[in-house]
Amino acid sequence: MPRTTTLECPGCPSLRALTFDALGLIKVIEAKVSQGGAPRVVERWGELDSSKCVLAASINDRKDDPLLAVARKTGMIEVLSAINGDIRFTVSNANEDGPRPEDDAVVGLHLFAGQKLELTSRSCTLLTCTTKGNTSMRSIEVTDSPAGSASIGSSNTWSVCGSGNILCSKVDGSEKYAIFGGKGVEMNMWDLDNCTKIWAAKSPPKNSLDIFTPTWFTSSTFLSKDDHRKIVAGTNSHQVRLYDISAQRRPVISFDFRETPIKSVTEDLDGYTVYVGNGSGDLASFDMRTGKLLGCFLGKCSGSIRSIARHPELPVIASCGLDSYLRLWDIKTRQLLSAVFLKQHLTNVVFDSNFADEEVKPSSVAADLPLNAEKIANETEIRDEEETLPVKRKKASKEDERRKKKKASKENEGNKVKEASKENNGSEKKASKENEGSKKLKSKKSKRSKYEIHDES
Amino acid sequence: MGYKRKKSESELEPEIENDRKKPMMQKEEKEILPSTIKNKEKRSEVHAKLKHQKKLEKRKKAKARDAAEKRALELGEEPPPKMVPRTIENTREFDETVCKPDDEELFAGNDADEFGAILKRDRTPKVLITTCRFNSSRGPAFISELLSVIPNAHYYKRGTYDLKKIVEYANNKDFTSLIVVHTNRREPDALLIIGLPEGPTAHFKLSKLVLRKDIKNHGNPTNHKPELVLNNFTTRLGHRIGRLIQSLFPQDPNFHGRRVVTFHNQRDFIFFRHHRYIFDRKESKQTDSKGKEAKDAKGEKASQERVIARLQECGPRFTLKLTSLQHGTFDSKGGEFEWVHKPEMDTSRRRFFL
């Protein structure tokens, strides 16, 4: 008999991840414990168009109405609902007098979670950064009027670097500081409240052979959520560096990892572990207190790792990249939990942490959904929406009740350790399974009716 | 070995239980494994006996099979289905990346990739061939043959230029691909194919090179644009490699040139062959299988003359194996790989990537 080694997938806990790829598609991957923990693609948003390649993405991972910001190659930034993929609004990042979006691609995008400047609930703040260093922070208010989709409340544009190319940018946990770095640009930190540079790194000295390696940062992250002073950066010369802005301008710790450029760096929740992925598909975790390698994540991964995401609650990380697989790994054992083939070169992956109560659709928002211009063109669709509205409202009232209940139960359990959360999810699931079943049916029905009308039109 | 033994045992046990009339001797003989006998002479004797028995059984089986087939033929029935031998290829590990013909994402992805312009004939392929820094003997000979295989290919001396500089130069001169033949110890051993201007870089190991003059009864190729045959490039990665190779050749072959270039993929090895073919009319011989043929070609006189294709190899002949596929043009230090061969992938003989 042929001796074959099958990929043993222990299966992952219930989670929901979103991936973004080079053809401009957004794919939603869900894993459910009840179905054996095998993740599968449940939804695909967007049409196949290589000019709409996703360059950067950011998620506002809140309980109700999570939002997703996506920067495309065309220079457009779309904000969509992370639950059903409805486009809330699109803004153009290109200036009239500035360079064309093809030359000045967006490299960094951050959707602020906290409400800035006491704006209304349906506004959001975006930080974008382009290759040339044009950074802009704007808060966008979504108006209810059917014609105007979005209006820019306040916008603030400045340039981060004089020369060179920005390749990475990151906003810290408190959302007050941002770091930028790139080819020919040393890491620098900006205060976002008053747009001033507060710190810049200094390149390391020449080595013993008097050779100076040119500055080329490819990835960066903050070491912990609450502390903005420690930065981890990966360079093109396969070095990982730790900067402490309160100590010195040169790296505190610096070490090599393999022989291809570091393509992504992601921090863990514990505040000292980082996950490092490089250009030839190696993924490893490091302890940044000592700079020691904790271990590698082994599993036939052969394409450059473009993005790593850490699940906010479960001990799971996801990596994706040019080999078009989304891989889910266990942090503790560093085992591959499962891999999903997604057919395209992936650029980004994010987790949606509220998956357990994700079955509940954000109906309150859907009821008075701000319609964007495209939808208005299709009048039948609007009619359709109006027709479906009452159903949704009914659901809303029910769902709100349940959500409250769930929240209460969650608070009780909140004290428990993280590891127990898996089981919690399981038990919650069981309890709400029946309800969910009926709910799903309903939502399916409404969806189907929508599609049918769509077809007729 | 161990597995086979187990199987025979498990088959044996119920048999023994079923008919206990069988002599005890045989049972004992089968149960004693030759490897457990300590006396070497005895052991080899038992082993030889077992082997002989197996051989007899095999022969009996084959005979029975042949007889059944013959009988079916005589009675005019459907012959029993032929057994398909189990090969490494047809027991290949399941691979979800194998392309399916109804995959719209595949076609959209193909349209959007770097070779789209060439394969849609918006650009005509123009290939620059160069070598590594030092080359001699078989290297230049191989290149001169490559030049005759690939139309619109130009050889440039490498000199002391960096490969990145050459890529830049080729971009300025509107080349669509760049081939670098790497020689080691006067023997070509690696091939680098770079798609230009932004296409991927494939790095192949080159082996089993046979030049034209070493092929017996070789033909000499003409200047016609060759036809291209790409075999067995099934997965996503395979498709990409196939398209990379396809982009080296013009998309409008001269069919009257009767020249064909084959890239045949088998177990991740890509075999290159270059042939001329000819359609010959031949008088069909009246063999003993006349009955069958006569049925097929009733009434037609032309059927007496069969058309057969004859091949003449033109060389060179070589084998490629992919070691890495890099995103973007050649960049050994800062490159991002789409696929790299890693030793941990070689844990199964039945896992193939192309």
Side-chain angles (χ1 to χ4, degrees):
Chain A
M1 266 307 282
R3 196 170 48 176
T4 52
T5 52
T6 46
L7 195 66
E8 283 160 24
C9 289
C12 30
S14 293
L15 50 84
R16 179 180 154 108
L18 297 113
T19 60
F20 308 89
D21 61 36
L23 273 189
L25 297 174
I26 302 171
K27 285 177 183 163
V28 185
I29 291 100
E30 281 180 10
K32 287 173 187 165
V33 172
S34 55
Q35 291 169 6
R40 52 175 67 94
V41 182
V42 286
E43 272 177 277
R44 201 184 84 183
W45 303 331
E47 64 263 27
L48 304 154
D49 185 0
S50 64
S51 65
K52 288 175 90 180
C53 168
V54 178
L55 298 170
S58 170
I59 190 169
N60 182 359
D61 198 6
R62 58 190 171 195
K63 264 258 147 40
D64 55 324
D65 186 26
L67 285 178
L68 201 66
V70 172
R72 299 202 184 259
K73 212 176 181 177
T74 50
M76 302 300 283
I77 294 162
E78 288 175 7
V79 175
L80 1 95
S81 158
I83 287 165
N84 48 14
D86 287 338
I87 295 175
R88 294 294 160 79
F89 58 84
T90 47
V91 281
S92 173
N93 193 49
N95 298 329
E96 283 82 46
D97 52 339
R100 292 183 300 136
E102 288 84 49
D103 305 329
D104 201 13
V106 177
V107 285
L109 177 70
H110 185 81
L111 184 63
F112 284 83
Q115 292 298 329
K116 280 211 151 195
L117 313 168
E118 286 121 30
L119 288 164
T120 50
S121 63
R122 262 202 314 287
S123 73
C124 50
T125 317
L126 280 170
L127 178 82
T128 58
C129 174
T130 62
T131 327
K132 298 259 167 71
N134 298 318
T135 309
S136 67
M137 193 162 75
R138 46 194 136 182
S139 44
I140 291 149
E141 203 152 344
V142 183
T143 49
D144 285 340
S145 64
S149 55
S151 67
I152 294 171
S154 66
S155 128
N156 205 346
T157 309
W158 73 96
S159 185
V160 176
C161 64
S163 61
N165 290 327
I166 299 284
L167 292 175
C168 54
S169 81
K170 185 93 181 172
V171 175
D172 80 322
S174 65
E175 302 191 320
K176 280 181 184 158
Y177 304 94
I179 45 172
F180 302 95
K183 188 181 178 183
V185 184
E186 283 289 346
M187 294 305 298
N188 49 40
M189 186 180 284
W190 289 70
D191 189 338
L192 292 179
D193 288 336
N194 35 20
C195 301
T196 46
K197 191 197 265 189
I198 53 171
W199 179 84
K202 204 173 171 185
S203 51
K206 291 172 182 171
N207 67 4
S208 57
L209 297 172
D210 246 15
I211 295 169
F212 173 73
T213 38
T215 314
W216 192 339
F217 288 98
T218 48
S219 55
S220 61
T221 186
F222 286 93
L223 190 55
S224 70
K225 276 242 154 78
D226 346 293
D227 187 11
H228 73 273
R229 280 167 299 195
K230 281 182 179 156
I231 308 167
V232 183
T235 69
N236 198 51
S237 49
H238 47 88
Q239 254 190 351
V240 182
R241 293 177 188 163
L242 173 70
Y243 289 97
D244 189 346
I245 70 165
S246 54
Q248 61 191 41
R249 290 180 62 198
R250 283 196 165 137
V252 183
I253 296 172
S254 157
F255 54 87
D256 283 356
F257 175 56
R258 301 279 165 98
E259 275 154 357
T260 43
I262 309 295
K263 284 292 170 186
S264 64
V265 176
T266 303
E267 81 283 3
D268 195 85
L269 301 174
D270 59 10
Y272 53 83
T273 313
V274 289
Y275 304 101
V276 176
N278 76 359
S280 58
D282 302 310
L283 182 63
S285 59
F286 281 94
D287 188 338
M288 286 319 282
R289 293 171 299 190
T290 55
K292 287 254 168 68
L293 176 72
L294 292 174
C296 286
F297 292 82
L298 291 177
K300 294 175 200 111
C301 180
S302 56
S304 166
I305 293 172
R306 286 271 178 94
S307 168
I308 306 171
R310 166 77 164 90
H311 197 281
E313 282 147 26
L314 305 167
V316 171
I317 59 168
S319 73
C320 73
L322 290 183
D323 67 345
S324 20
Y325 270 99
L326 172 77
R327 288 165 206 272
L328 296 158
W329 311 86
D330 192 317
I331 290 172
K332 299 270 159 51
T333 59
R334 287 189 283 274
Q335 289 292 309
L336 181 66
L337 290 176
S338 57
V340 200
F341 180 59
L342 295 172
K343 296 178 183 175
Q344 307 299 336
H345 290 167
L346 304 172
T347 54
N348 261 299
V349 58
V350 292
F351 271 119
D352 186 352
S353 63
N354 311 311
F355 177 54
D357 24 357
E358 202 50 57
E359 275 82 359
V360 183
K361 291 222 167 184
S363 42
S364 57
V365 188
D368 43 7
L369 188 105
L371 305 164
N372 60 343
E374 292 166 22
K375 274 198 173 167
I376 286 157
N378 200 343
E379 280 186 13
T380 53
E381 204 171 327
I382 293 169
R383 204 180 347 123
D384 173 26
E385 267 189 24
E386 281 166 4
E387 280 167 14
T388 53
L389 274 184
V391 186
K392 278 185 180 171
R393 270 196 192 125
K394 266 184 209 164
K395 251 201 283 179
S397 55
K398 275 184 196 170
E399 278 160 17
D400 283 345
E401 281 172 24
R402 191 173 310 122
R403 201 179 287 157
K404 273 173 201 164
K405 274 182 197 169
K406 267 194 183 171
K407 267 185 189 169
S409 67
K410 263 218 163 172
E411 278 169 12
N412 291 335
E413 291 163 355
N415 306 334
K416 286 181 187 173
V417 206
K418 252 184 253 163
E419 288 148 42
S421 67
K422 243 192 228 175
E423 295 160 15
N424 288 348
N425 284 343
S427 61
E428 268 183 32
K429 267 225 149 127
K430 270 177 200 166
S432 59
K433 221 179 188 176
E434 293 170 5
N435 295 334
E436 276 166 20
S438 60
K439 179 105 334 156
K440 266 188 181 169
L441 270 180
K442 264 187 196 172
S443 63
K444 261 187 189 171
K445 266 183 193 170
S446 65
K447 259 189 187 173
R448 209 174 287 153
S449 65
K450 234 185 196 178
Y451 285 141
E452 276 166 15
I453 290 166
H454 214 88
D455 285 342
E456 280 164 25
S457 67
Chain B
M1 207 36 212
Y3 190 34
K4 269 183 185 168
R5 200 169 60 223
K6 253 186 228 164
K7 197 178 169 186
S8 66
E9 272 176 6
S10 63
E11 277 177 8
L12 241 163
E13 277 167 24
E15 226 178 276
I16 291 161
E17 280 175 29
N18 283 343
D19 39 14
R20 298 201 168 175
K21 285 174 190 173
K22 272 193 175 176
M24 290 289 282
M25 268 296 289
Q26 201 184 351
K27 187 187 169 188
E28 267 179 15
E29 227 172 77
K30 288 245 169 167
E31 293 237 317
I32 293 170
L33 300 170
S35 58
T36 56
I37 301 168
K38 281 181 179 168
N39 184 336
K40 186 174 180 186
E41 238 167 64
K42 188 75 188 165
R43 183 171 68 230
S44 53
E45 192 184 305
V46 172
H47 185 258
K49 215 176 185 178
L50 268 177
K51 210 156 190 198
H52 182 65
Q53 261 176 9
K54 257 187 197 167
K55 198 178 163 191
L56 284 183
E57 266 170 40
K58 211 173 174 183
R59 201 177 281 168
K60 217 188 256 173
K61 254 189 197 168
K63 235 177 192 174
R65 206 164 46 221
D66 283 349
E69 203 172 329
K70 218 172 188 181
R71 203 175 50 220
L73 248 173
E74 274 177 8
L75 294 172
E77 286 170 5
E78 278 282 300
K82 272 208 168 161
M83 310 265 256
V84 181
R86 207 158 44 202
T87 59
I88 287 189
E89 284 106 321
N90 64 22
T91 53
R92 167 181 188 162
E93 263 183 28
F94 171 72
D95 193 351
E96 56 203 330
T97 67
V98 168
C99 296
K100 293 176 187 74
D102 55 342
D103 191 353
E104 51 160 347
E105 270 187 52
L106 164 70
F107 296 112
N110 275 353
D111 285 341
D113 74 358
E114 299 92 335
F115 320 112
I118 299 169
L119 301 188
K120 281 181 209 149
R121 299 196 208 173
D122 296 338
R123 290 174 74 192
T124 45
K126 188 178 169 196
V127 183
L128 190 152
I129 299 180
T130 186
T131 61
C132 60
R133 284 277 176 82
F134 309 102
N135 75 321
S136 65
S137 87
R138 296 246 289 174
F142 175 52
I143 283 173
S144 68
E145 292 190 4
L146 265 189
L147 286 172
S148 72
V149 170
I150 304 172
N152 204 6
H154 307 269
Y155 170 65
Y156 281 70
K157 274 187 197 157
R158 171 68 186 262
T160 55
Y161 296 106
D162 287 345
L163 207 48
K164 281 188 188 173
K165 285 272 157 56
I166 295 175
V167 168
E168 218 170 90
Y169 172 83
N171 266 335
N172 291 337
K173 292 265 177 177
D174 259 356
F175 282 97
T176 58
S177 322
L178 172 63
I179 298 179
V180 181
V181 179
H182 190 268
T183 21
N184 185 22
R185 297 181 173 188
R186 297 175 296 286
E187 183 69 31
D189 71 337
L191 201 67
L192 201 66
I193 303 179
I194 307 175
L196 296 175
E198 66 228 353
T201 305
H203 190 247
F204 295 99
K205 184 182 85 180
L206 193 151
S207 56
K208 298 260 156 74
L209 173 67
V210 181
L211 293 177
R212 186 177 301 150
K213 69 172 175 34
D214 301 327
I215 296 174
K216 262 188 187 174
N217 296 328
H218 68 85
N220 285 321
T222 49
N223 284 333
H224 296 97
K225 291 175 187 170
E227 296 161 45
L228 186 66
V229 178
L230 294 169
N231 274 346
N232 285 348
F233 290 92
T234 49
T235 62
R236 272 299 163 115
L237 181 69
H239 262 235
R240 224 168 137 65
I241 295 296
R243 284 171 73 84
L244 176 71
I245 291 169
Q246 204 182 344
S247 71
L248 295 175
F249 291 89
Q251 303 306 303
D252 47 342
N254 299 127
F255 288 105
H256 60 266
R258 304 195 319 274
R259 221 183 118 191
V260 62
V261 171
T262 314
F263 287 88
H264 176 86
N265 171 35
Q266 193 167 0
R267 304 187 190 173
D268 277 358
F269 288 94
I270 302 168
F271 298 96
F272 173 91
R273 295 291 182 272
H274 182 199
H275 290 100
R276 288 170 65 194
Y277 63 89
I278 192 160
F279 293 116
D280 251 6
R281 288 180 176 278
K282 256 202 172 176
E283 290 268 330
S284 66
K285 284 173 195 164
Q286 304 290 324
T287 50
D288 49 353
S289 60
K290 181 189 162 190
K292 266 199 289 180
E293 268 177 34
K295 257 182 208 170
D296 292 339
K298 237 179 192 177
E300 277 187 45
K301 259 196 175 177
S303 67
Q304 298 292 342
E305 269 186 350
R306 275 188 306 161
V307 177
I308 58 157
R310 286 199 296 127
L311 286 178
Q312 183 181 33
E313 191 165 354
C314 300
R317 185 195 287 176
F318 57 87
T319 307
L320 298 173
K321 185 155 200 297
L322 186 67
T323 50
S324 71
L325 180 67
Q326 196 180 331
H327 191 69
T329 53
F330 182 80
D331 189 352
S332 56
K333 258 198 119 181
E336 246 185 312
F337 290 94
E338 281 178 34
W339 187 83
V340 205
H341 184 263
K342 287 182 180 174
E344 71 215 41
M345 295 168 173
D346 292 336
T347 49
S348 164
R349 296 171 61 192
R350 291 158 207 279
R351 187 182 304 127
F352 303 114
F353 297 98
L354 289 182

